[in-house]
Amino acid sequence: MEERGNSGGMSKEDISKKLEKFQTTSEKIEFLQYIEPKINSTNPNTQKAYYETLGDLFLKKENFQEAAGYYKKAGLDEKAEKIWEKLGDIAKIYHEDDKAIEYYKKSNSSEKEEELLKKKETHSLEDKFLVMLAFCTFLFSFVFFSGRITGNTIAQFPLSSHNLIGIGLFIMGMIVTFLYSERKNKNN
């Protein structure tokens, strides 16, 4: 491993120069984590650049939770639009659409925000339709199970036909309920 110097007064450029010496992303992360205890003695701009760099490196390795943690340490203010957008992308990957929308608003990424809002609205309407369909099929299955409710006033079917229709509707309701639950699990 390469010799590590004092990082107390390092600027963003110094950190970048040091990182050029390392071949892999893992080596760069290891070096930056090694100097992290000393980074607090640097100026705020260097600290922000340091944490952003670490966040970018973890994002490159697709370690989204670590990346999000370092982006937050960078100091997320209204001027940090790129960081907010990256956090929105991370939240979207984890299917946390509400958080992603909030982060995209802060990053002024209106296209990504609108895309998520449309997706959420579409899913909401589809979910309502599936719930209503399941409810109606269960309700009508019980209506047909009971020969007293339908009686022979609807049609001159034998009681076994009513039961078959009821069973068919009940099975259809189970299938719709299963599809709805699978859809919810996939989105969460």
Side-chain angles (χ1 to χ4, degrees), residues 95-109:
H95 301 290
E96 296 174 342
D97 292 343
D98 291 333
K99 277 186 181 178
I101 290 169
E102 176 186 334
Y103 294 151
Y104 287 144
K105 278 183 186 177
K106 292 180 179 182
S107 74
N108 294 323
S109 282

Side-chain angles (χ1 to χ4, degrees), residues 18-90:
K18 288 271 188 189
L19 290 180
E20 288 175 4
K21 296 178 183 178
F22 298 101
Q23 298 289 324
T24 66
T25 303
S26 296
E27 290 174 335
K28 292 175 183 180
I29 289 172
E30 186 180 325
F31 170 73
L32 288 175
Q33 287 178 328
Y34 175 79
I35 66 171
E36 187 171 8
K38 299 175 183 177
I39 205 68
N40 290 331
S41 63
T42 62
N43 67 43
N45 290 335
T46 301
Q47 290 175 18
K48 183 174 178 139
Y50 168 83
Y51 288 121
E52 280 182 40
T53 303
L54 257 174
D56 289 341
L57 290 171
F58 276 109
L59 190 62
K60 190 175 186 180
K61 287 188 67 122
E62 295 184 5
N63 186 337
F64 303 115
Q65 288 183 329
E66 288 289 328
Y70 282 111
Y71 285 140
K72 287 178 182 176
K73 283 184 178 182
L76 298 173
D77 54 14
E78 299 304 321
K79 297 175 186 172
E81 292 178 1
K82 287 182 181 179
I83 295 172
W84 284 114
E85 186 174 352
K86 289 175 185 177
L87 285 175
D89 293 342
I90 291 169

